[in-house]
Amino acid sequence: MSAARARGGRARIKPARKHGPDVSIDETWAKLSRNIVEIQNHNAANLSFEENHRYAYNMVLYKHGDKLYRGSTQLIAENLEKLAKEYIIPAYPAGVSDDPVQKSQEGEMLLKALKKVWDDHTSSTSKLRDVLKYMDRVYTQNAGVPVIYEAGLRLFIKHIIKAPIEDHVISAILTLIQTERDGYTINRSSVHGCVDVFLQLEDHNSREGISIYKRDIEPAVLAESEAFYKKEGERLLETCDAPEYLRRVEARFHEEESRTHHILSTLTTLPLRRILEKHLVSAHLSTVINMPNSGLDAMIDSDRIDDLARLYRLFTKVSTGLPTLKKSLRETIIRRGKDINEAGPSAGGDGGESPDEDAAEPSAKAKGKARARPPPTAASQTLTSALRWVQDVLDLKDKFDQIWSKAFHSDRDLESALNEAFETFINLNEKAPEFISLFIDENLKKGLKGKSETEVDVVLDKTITVFRFLTDKDVFERYYKGHLAKRLLLGRSVSDDAERGMLTKLKIECGYQFTQKLEGMFNDMKLSSDAMSAYRDHVSKNDRSPAIDISVIVMTSTFWPMSHTAASCVFPEQLIQASKSFERFYLSRHSGRRLTWQPSLGNADVRVTFKSRKHDLNVSTFALIILLLFEDILDDQFLTYEEIKSATSIADVELKRNLQSLACAKYKILKKHPPGRDVNPTDSFSFNVDFSAPLQKIKISTIASKVENTEERKETRDRINEERRHQTEACIVRIMKDRKHMTHNDLINEKRIEGLIDREYLERCEDRKSYNYLA
């Protein structure tokens, strides 16, 4: 050590080495700030990215990030102020012209200027973000300040999106939108570009963090739209009929939908749609749908399916639209239905007797008085009106079914309203069950001739549709049973398949019990056919063939709607022999049964000799009995009404009906004295030996299905009410048997309670408010 000291002398301590940049921070910032300005002036290509990045890096590294951050944001703010003065402020609209085209052009220039400033700002800020990347990663996180690009957006809001710039911009947007609403063409891209700027800017003062568009642009657009469409709705009502109003409104919906997609934002679609719904639809629902000569009724009358579909589309946009449409549809259907009811047979009108339209071929011509066809009777006109009523209802149903499927998109809610309306007006007509049965009777009797099975099904299906609306289905059943019985007994059914097809449809609608008796009638027809085959075999083997060849239909009394007691009538000897022959045969095979003859339901074929020729006549059994009386008298002799009545014991109603068929209808087999259309007890009759007709076989008019008169309808109603009484009582007994004890309120809607108490099925409790079942 001493050697070292000797060699080097005293040891020296060197100062610590300084750590830091080779140049000062101020100088570094001066260079970087100049380069940032160059970037903002679009001269970045002449700069070194690495050098600028190093400047920023060193300032952050040596703890001068705050100076760098504040300096950079100051430069951005200054640049925005410069850009605003250079591009935006000079583009303010002059506001001196009312010409919409010029106003839109001025607004377009302002929006383009704003978009240019935005593009300039975002371009330079993006480059600056790359340079200051280290500052964003290190300093901003520690200091709790936004990164430089986000700071740039906030500065844009502060220096550009402010009054009066923002006010002018919003005004320009509203002007361009209004110009387009008025039918002019605008540059949509200029508006959309500006709106896109507002969408990217976020309001950091709000808790939800909504965009500036949502905060400033959308409320202004919606307020302006509200005022416009309120006036627009009132203007259209004054200048347009209902279809045109609907077309204009739907066009407005499409326009605004397009506008929010191509100009504004889809964020505005829903609130803007709500404004249109409020002022163009909801506010004028009743006015449009009830507009005289062009509203719902007029559109339905003219079958304007497209307009009705448009009405449905618009009305279903609002909550009150569908109920309003349902109410109006129900009212128009009920009104139309009431018109059909009033156009049909009057409620108090009596249906009389109607001669069978198939009594003779239309081409048949009789001589003398028989040549002239009598004018239609009031009864036949009533029957025609009844059939017309059903057809009108079917036509109305078809019309609204078409509207429902094509215009209303098969809406189930509207279907319920339509069905309810049809059910209402159909059941307002107390004759509806009878009319529907008559309609089916006419179609199954003659209306289906020459039609395919498909066409038959269409007719039956349509009728079932109307039947479905009936509430008094038991009333229909009674009428249908009577009409079916006549078709079967008189051989009038066009097709057994069609008859059974109708029964199948009724069974589907109402169940097996509803058609049980109807099917029993068909079964009787089959059994009767088998019985007649066996009877003919029996008489042929025993050589006991009666003088008259008879065909018998044995009807089970509980199935057929006939009286259990025979109509009073004295059979001629020939008929007595034939009927007794069948009785002996039938009762030998079925012990314990009782046969009651029903001559009012039968018919007969008889060959009658006139002066010129012989004719084969098809007449009712009563008519045959009457004709046989004239077999034993001379051609020029007379029988009085009272003599015929005494000899046959036929009731007055049936006697007059059959004498009228023989002496007053198209083919006058008898002569009435004095001549006339009505039969009176003072009349007398003779055989018309001079009768002649070109046809060999003639069917003498029988009484066809007819509308009941008031007395008959009262009898039918009384029988039905009696049946309902028993059914109601049985229902109450079943309920009480199951529950044993019930309060009065639970049974208040039931009938016949007092009757059941009298017959000791029920007893009233001491509280007088409940009942007990008595076993």
Side-chain angles (χ1 to χ4, degrees):
M1 188 153 183
S2 59
R5 264 197 310 268
R7 283 194 303 268
R10 285 178 56 188
R12 296 189 324 184
I13 299 175
K14 294 183 179 179
R17 230 177 138 176
K18 290 182 180 181
H19 297 279
D22 297 334
V23 294
S24 70
I25 292 299
D26 291 337
E27 186 178 347
T28 300
W29 168 243
K31 293 178 180 179
L32 180 57
S33 62
R34 284 195 300 271
N35 290 341
I36 290 174
V37 172
E38 288 298 311
I39 290 173
Q40 292 172 337
N41 292 332
H42 309 291
N43 295 321
N46 301 323
L47 304 175
S48 168
F49 172 79
E50 291 80 6
E51 182 180 49
N52 290 316
H53 183 273
R54 188 166 59 250
Y55 290 154
Y57 175 83
N58 286 334
M59 291 186 71
V60 175
L61 182 64
Y62 294 109
K63 310 302 180 185
H64 293 285
D66 180 64
K67 181 180 180 66
L68 174 61
Y69 186 84
R70 285 188 288 103
S72 298
T73 53
Q74 180 64 32
L75 291 175
I76 294 173
E78 292 172 357
N79 185 59
L80 286 171
E81 291 290 345
K82 184 191 74 169
L83 291 173
K85 292 177 182 178
E86 185 176 348
Y87 296 107
I88 296 176
I89 294 174
Y92 284 170
V96 296
S97 173
D98 292 330
D99 180 44
V101 176
Q102 183 175 343
K103 289 172 69 176
S104 66
Q105 290 175 347
E106 291 176 350
E108 182 183 327
M109 290 178 60
L110 175 61
L111 299 184
K112 286 182 176 180
L114 179 72
K115 184 63 165 62
K116 176 177 176 57
V117 170
W118 168 258
D119 291 340
D120 192 307
H121 169 72
T122 53
S123 175
S124 61
T125 309
S126 296
K127 294 182 178 67
L128 187 57
R129 177 179 55 191
D130 295 336
V131 171
L132 304 178
K133 189 173 293 185
Y134 186 73
M135 180 191 74
D136 283 344
R137 189 169 70 246
V138 177
Y139 171 75
T140 56
Q141 290 185 8
N142 295 331
V145 294
V147 296
I148 196 64
Y149 189 83
E150 179 62 31
L153 297 180
R154 296 186 182 189
L155 290 169
F156 189 89
I157 295 172
K158 180 179 179 181
H159 294 276
I160 302 297
I161 309 303
K162 64 176 184 177
I165 297 176
E166 186 183 29
D167 297 335
H168 283 292
V169 170
I170 293 175
S171 177
I173 292 173
L174 297 178
T175 298
L176 285 163
I177 291 174
Q178 186 58 50
T179 301
E180 188 177 54
R181 283 174 177 163
D182 291 339
Y184 297 94
T185 301
I186 65 169
N187 185 346
R188 285 187 159 193
S189 62
S190 63
V191 184
H192 182 68
C194 186
V195 166
D196 191 53
V197 172
F198 283 81
L199 284 167
Q200 296 181 59
L201 297 173
E202 185 176 325
D203 181 9
H204 295 280
N205 295 324
S206 66
R207 292 183 179 180
E208 297 83 6
I210 61 173
S211 66
I212 301 300
Y213 170 83
K214 198 74 175 173
R215 187 194 71 183
D216 297 341
I217 302 293
E218 183 178 270
V221 170
L222 295 179
E224 191 80 7
S225 300
E226 183 115 23
F228 172 76
Y229 280 114
K230 184 177 181 180
K231 293 180 181 178
E232 177 75 352
E234 296 169 354
R235 184 184 70 82
L236 291 177
L237 275 183
E238 294 175 359
T239 59
C240 302
D241 60 12
E244 182 62 22
Y245 180 90
L246 295 171
R247 280 192 289 273
R248 297 279 188 91
V249 169
E250 189 171 55
R252 286 296 190 186
F253 273 94
H254 292 321
E255 290 169 10
E256 295 300 339
E257 185 86 12
S258 171
R259 192 165 290 121
T260 54
H261 279 80
H262 298 99
I263 296 182
L264 300 171
S265 166
T266 53
L267 298 172
T268 311
T269 302
L270 186 58
L272 189 55
R273 186 189 304 152
R274 292 285 180 263
I275 290 173
L276 270 70
E277 291 169 355
K278 176 183 176 183
H279 294 292
L280 298 185
V281 182
S282 294
H284 307 298
L285 288 172
S286 297
T287 306
V288 173
I289 207 167
N290 297 317
M291 198 172 282
N293 303 318
S294 66
L296 179 66
D297 272 333
M299 286 187 267
I300 291 172
D301 291 337
S302 306
D303 293 321
R304 303 180 73 160
I305 299 296
D306 290 341
D307 291 331
L308 288 167
R310 187 174 294 109
L311 182 144
Y312 171 77
R313 289 194 297 271
L314 290 173
F315 274 46
T316 51
K317 288 179 181 290
V318 298
S319 59
T320 55
L322 195 59
T324 302
L325 179 56
K326 286 170 64 176
K327 179 175 179 291
S328 296
L329 277 173
R330 187 177 183 280
E331 289 173 352
T332 189
I333 291 173
I334 291 176
R335 180 185 57 77
R336 293 163 191 266
K338 285 182 177 178
D339 290 343
I340 293 174
N341 289 345
E342 293 170 3
S346 61
D350 286 353
E353 297 170 358
S354 175
D356 191 343
E357 294 179 9
D358 287 348
E361 295 296 327
S363 61
K365 295 182 180 179
K367 294 183 179 178
K369 292 182 181 178
R371 183 181 302 146
R373 178 181 290 274
T377 64
S380 65
Q381 292 176 335
T382 304
L383 175 61
T384 302
S385 297
L387 302 177
R388 183 72 249 169
W389 180 87
V390 180
Q391 189 58 56
D392 287 344
V393 173
L394 290 175
D395 293 342
L396 187 66
K397 186 67 169 63
D398 284 343
K399 185 183 189 72
F400 278 92
D401 281 347
Q402 289 288 318
I403 292 172
W404 176 72
S405 61
K406 293 182 179 179
F408 298 156
H409 298 195
S410 301
D411 188 290
R412 292 302 171 191
D413 286 337
L414 290 182
E415 182 184 30
S416 299
L418 297 178
N419 290 341
E420 180 186 344
F422 273 93
E423 182 177 340
T424 299
F425 86 76
I426 286 174
N427 288 291
L428 287 176
N429 184 356
E430 63 175 10
K431 299 180 182 179
E434 181 187 4
F435 288 176
I436 294 171
S437 180
L438 281 169
F439 183 82
I440 297 173
D441 181 63
E442 285 295 302
N443 279 278
L444 290 180
K445 201 164 55 178
K446 55 195 171 186
L448 302 182
K449 288 180 180 177
K451 291 188 176 181
S452 66
E453 291 185 6
T454 303
E455 290 172 320
V456 169
D457 269 343
V458 168
V459 173
L460 299 181
D461 283 339
K462 286 184 176 181
T463 312
I464 283 293
T465 300
V466 180
F467 165 77
R468 194 174 292 137
F469 295 126
L470 282 179
T471 53
D472 292 337
K473 288 184 171 60
D474 53 346
V475 180
F476 168 86
E477 180 194 10
R478 178 168 288 275
Y479 286 117
Y480 187 81
K481 192 188 297 182
H483 295 148
L484 173 62
K486 290 182 180 179
R487 290 199 300 275
L488 295 177
L489 295 175
L490 300 176
R492 297 296 307 279
S493 291
V494 146
S495 164
D496 189 61
D497 289 341
E499 291 281 6
R500 292 190 178 277
M502 190 67 200
L503 280 187
T504 301
K505 295 177 190 300
L506 290 172
K507 184 188 292 185
I508 292 172
E509 289 296 320
C510 302
Y512 169 74
Q513 191 171 3
F514 186 84
T515 59
Q516 187 176 12
K517 293 182 179 179
L518 303 177
E519 291 175 334
M521 293 162 65
F522 277 95
N523 190 49
D524 281 350
M525 296 298 294
K526 181 180 183 303
L527 294 176
S528 297
S529 177
D530 295 341
M532 284 310 301
S533 297
Y535 171 69
R536 291 192 178 97
D537 291 342
H538 169 74
V539 296
S540 63
K541 290 177 182 177
N542 294 281
D543 294 326
R544 293 181 181 176
S545 298
I548 296 177
D549 182 20
I550 64 171
S551 177
V552 181
I553 298 173
V554 181
M555 303 178 293
T556 306
S557 59
T558 55
F559 292 159
W560 296 75
M562 308 304 172
S563 172
H564 294 180
T565 58
S568 61
C569 178
V570 176
F571 281 2
E573 186 60 32
Q574 304 96 310
L575 291 183
I576 292 175
Q577 291 177 3
S579 60
K580 291 297 183 182
S581 172
F582 179 81
E583 279 188 41
R584 286 191 296 271
F585 165 77
Y586 186 84
L587 294 176
S588 68
R589 302 182 62 182
H590 302 281
S591 61
R593 294 189 181 181
R594 181 167 59 90
L595 292 178
T596 302
W597 294 93
Q598 300 280 353
S600 61
L601 304 176
N603 64 87
D605 291 323
V606 57
R607 179 163 291 176
V608 183
T609 302
F610 299 94
K611 183 182 291 186
S612 61
R613 61 181 294 188
K614 295 179 180 180
H615 287 284
D616 295 329
L617 306 182
N618 178 263
V619 295
S620 69
T621 303
F622 283 146
L624 172 65
I625 295 170
I626 294 170
L627 285 175
L628 289 175
L629 296 177
F630 291 88
E631 190 175 27
D632 299 328
I633 65 173
L634 299 176
D635 292 343
D636 57 349
Q637 287 185 309
F638 295 84
L639 288 175
T640 66
Y641 177 89
E642 291 298 334
E643 289 173 336
I644 296 172
K645 178 180 177 181
S646 175
T648 61
S649 296
I650 299 175
D652 282 325
V653 173
E654 291 291 350
L655 183 58
K656 288 181 179 180
R657 181 181 297 174
N658 283 275
L659 284 172
Q660 198 172 24
S661 297
L662 291 169
C664 306
K666 181 176 181 179
Y667 296 104
K668 295 178 174 58
I669 309 303
L670 302 179
K671 292 181 180 179
K672 187 175 87 70
H673 309 279
R677 288 193 51 78
D678 297 323
V679 173
N680 299 306
T682 58
D683 293 338
S684 58
F685 300 86
S686 63
F687 181 68
N688 184 12
V689 70
D690 295 322
F691 174 81
S692 177
L695 298 176
Q696 172 66 27
K697 295 182 179 180
I698 299 173
K699 184 174 182 181
I700 301 301
S701 302
T702 54
I703 302 305
S705 300
K706 59 184 179 63
V707 179
E708 285 186 329
N709 60 35
T710 304
E711 184 177 344
E712 292 170 331
R713 182 168 291 103
K714 183 179 182 301
E715 291 177 2
T716 300
R717 286 287 177 178
D718 289 344
R719 289 194 297 267
I720 291 170
N721 288 335
E722 183 68 16
E723 291 177 1
R724 289 176 176 175
R725 181 175 69 83
H726 294 310
Q727 292 170 357
T728 303
E729 289 179 349
C731 181
I732 296 174
V733 169
R734 284 196 300 269
I735 293 172
M736 291 301 299
K737 188 175 182 179
D738 178 59
R739 303 186 188 179
K740 304 302 181 186
H741 177 89
M742 288 184 71
T743 64
H744 176 76
N745 287 339
D746 292 335
L747 280 174
I748 196 66
N749 293 324
E750 303 290 349
K751 299 178 182 178
R752 301 300 305 165
I753 295 174
E754 294 297 331
L756 293 170
I757 292 174
D758 293 341
R759 282 176 282 164
E760 298 183 348
Y761 283 98
L762 307 178
E763 69 172 0
R764 184 177 280 111
C765 298
E766 293 181 2
D767 60 7
R768 311 295 293 176
K769 296 180 180 178
S770 56
Y771 305 89
N772 288 329
Y773 173 71
L774 300 178

